[in-house]
Amino acid sequence: MPFTRLQPRYFMAICLIAMVCTSCLREKNGGLFLPGGFEATVVVDSLPGRARHLAVNDNGDIYVKANRPIEGGMNYVLRDENNDGRADIIKNFGPIASEGAYATGMRIHNGYLYTSSEMLVYRYKLKKGEMVPSSKAEFIVIDSGQPREHDGKPLAFDGKGHIFVPFGAPSDACQVENRLPGSPGMKPCPILDSNAGVWMFDENKVNQFRTTDGIKVATGLRSLVAMTWNTQDNTLYCVGHGRDGLSSSWPQFYNEWQSAVLPSEAFYKLKPGANAGWPYYYFDQMKGKVMVNPEYGGDGILENTDKSIETPIVGFPGHYAPNDLLFYTGDQFPARYKNGAFIAFHGSTIRAPYPQAGYIVAFVPFVNGKPQKWEVFADGFTGTDTLVNTSDSKHRPMGLAQGPDGSLYISDSKKGKIWKIQYKGNKENFSEKNLAQMKARENRTNVKNPDIIKDNLEKDKVVLGGEKLYQINCRVCHQQNGQGDGIRFPTIAKTDWVNGNKDTLIGVLIKGLEGPIKINGQPFHGAMPKFSQLPDRDIASILTYIRQNFGNNADSISKTSVTIVRQRLRLLKRKEMQLQKEAEAKLNAATTLRK
């Protein structure tokens, strides 16, 4: 298979000016709250293209993966020439300008810079003194088909010549109809052989495919972005994203509060052959039990009896969105941090009507190889006390990296900000007093489990008609303000999809929609369920509400318009089925003649 189409002319952008605004420099710790003795420096305030994972070279150069298309390539390199902790030179490079919003991995290993797009894992040889690699990109692992939801590809290395790459599941719970309320799950799940797991490849072999070159080493993982190899026990670890839509899909079993805090974002120690249980099971961190998913007979009470399913080593609250994992091996931090795990939680989207949560960097101490109670290490990313919409957050922590001096680097996917965390206190005197400020922040709405009544942001709000229907059916993804999260769920504000052709918009609600699509120039690969189960009157009310809110100013949609489109789609479906039957009949006839 030729790969010339994947390798357009190599671009390298000219040096960019490091954008560190004066007000940001004055803001203590770049706006972060940290344990006593820790200080943060803003390396760069905002990178064009924003930021996902990152890695730090032995000379201090920082390599960052962007999550927006950038002319010249979505890989950044930053250099601090005067040793003040801030980037003085910024360049970008890459084999292609657009690698998708899920472009993720950025790791330095054995003299190579490994990185990943939605569909590729590739590497550059790093030569001493070079910022931008002069070597050509080598494609190590190549995905097949089209980009899908959950296509992030974090990377890990075992030190024995192997690279580990997950392939996410393009589904919520392997339903017959993805995300359709009440749709049963498929058992056996047909995508478990090709997705929802981690594969092992040769780190030095080019042009490998999952189907012919990869060895599956773990399964039952729906969406994996936080993954690393722990050199202390030579084992692969990960923190996975749990499924969505418990209350919206199964309101007879789960209320909105349960759906906001469940299922757990689960921390696994992945021994060879590990099965984390997706799509049949989920972990309930409050019960400490593996539960049966409702698509497979669960009701919020039925527990798993399959002993082959892994129990997580730690269970975090639901929808925190774990997007990077790092075991700290440096000597700069106090001893309690040595060999413990830092986890970047990108933050929730679907917790309404309760406050959105996560948006922190957590720390899990390990004692004699065993995880202890997790704690908040870095907070303040949201910039507000109660987060109603994902888009309201000032920052979203995404990537983690350890520098050669033991500093911790954190990237932000909202603006492309990067912080460098250092310990400036007396390590021998570090105690519980240093943690007091962070323990107090565990009561904030973005960290604690919400009170089922007091923290319901809509407990006193009366809504009717289209707005009420929007909240029931659409808000969980598109948010209260209609802005979505910019990665999985698109905005519905001022878009051609909403304000344009009425029949197209009606068809989206009736048929659903699978990516890839572009909205305001931003690609999306998620799945929107169909709402054909709603009566025409309700669809008209929802779409009228959307077209006349969120900055939109389009005319209304009538029940009659919805009825006409629905009838047209039914006729089209019948015609498609008839054509399919005729094609099958011709194929069978031709087969019979050949025999």
Side-chain angles (χ1 to χ4, degrees), residues 564-579:
I564 292 171
V565 172
R566 192 190 292 269
Q567 291 173 344
R568 187 185 304 146
L569 290 173
R570 283 174 180 163
L571 290 173
L572 183 61
K573 183 68 174 178
R574 288 173 190 166
K575 186 175 181 180
E576 289 175 350
M577 292 176 66
Q578 181 61 36
L579 290 173

Side-chain angles (χ1 to χ4, degrees), residues 122-336:
Y122 60 97
R123 72 179 186 180
Y124 296 97
K125 180 68 176 176
L126 292 175
K127 299 177 183 178
K128 188 175 181 179
E130 286 185 344
M131 285 184 66
V132 174
S134 60
S135 61
K136 291 184 178 180
E138 295 181 320
F139 297 108
I140 304 300
V141 178
I142 301 162
D143 202 348
S144 57
Q146 294 292 321
R148 306 163 292 266
E149 62 175 336
H150 310 146
D151 253 347
K153 289 180 171 59
L155 310 171
F157 303 87
D158 64 0
K160 299 178 182 178
H162 302 120
I163 182 173
F164 297 86
V165 183
F167 291 80
S171 173
D172 192 26
C174 202
Q175 303 99 318
V176 173
E177 296 193 65
N178 189 25
R179 300 184 186 275
L180 180 68
S183 179
M186 294 181 279
K187 194 169 186 178
C189 176
I191 59 177
L192 277 176
D193 289 339
S194 58
N195 292 82
V198 181
W199 276 255
M200 181 177 72
F201 300 88
D202 184 335
E203 68 183 48
N204 292 308
K205 184 179 177 182
V206 299
N207 299 342
Q208 298 174 88
F209 292 86
R210 167 184 36 181
T211 52
T212 55
D213 303 284
I215 298 173
K216 193 173 187 179
V217 297
T219 191
L221 294 156
R222 166 182 172 266
S223 177
L224 197 54
V225 192
M227 183 181 73
T228 194
W229 186 267
N230 186 358
T231 57
Q232 293 303 300
D233 59 6
N234 287 314
T235 307
L236 189 67
Y237 284 77
C238 73
V239 191
H241 287 237
R243 54 88 46 89
D244 299 331
L246 286 175
S247 66
S248 59
S249 294
W250 303 95
Q252 65 269 45
F253 300 135
Y254 301 90
N255 59 36
E256 290 179 319
W257 181 86
Q258 290 171 309
S259 194
V261 300
L262 292 173
S264 173
E265 311 284 50
F267 191 179
Y268 291 102
K269 180 177 181 178
L270 293 178
K271 295 179 180 179
N275 184 353
W278 184 91
Y280 312 124
Y281 308 101
Y282 69 88
F283 186 65
D284 183 325
Q285 75 279 6
M286 295 177 290
K287 294 179 179 179
K289 301 284 187 179
V290 177
M291 311 297 290
V292 180
N293 258 322
E295 289 79 6
Y296 301 91
D299 56 2
I301 300 173
L302 185 62
E303 298 177 9
N304 164 50
T305 57
D306 185 347
K307 294 184 179 179
S308 69
I309 303 302
E310 295 289 327
T311 298
I313 60 174
V314 179
F316 294 94
H319 316 298
Y320 267 30
N323 274 11
D324 210 354
L325 169 65
L326 180 145
F327 281 92
Y328 185 77
T329 58
D331 296 317
Q332 183 191 125
F333 290 6
R336 75 184 309 276

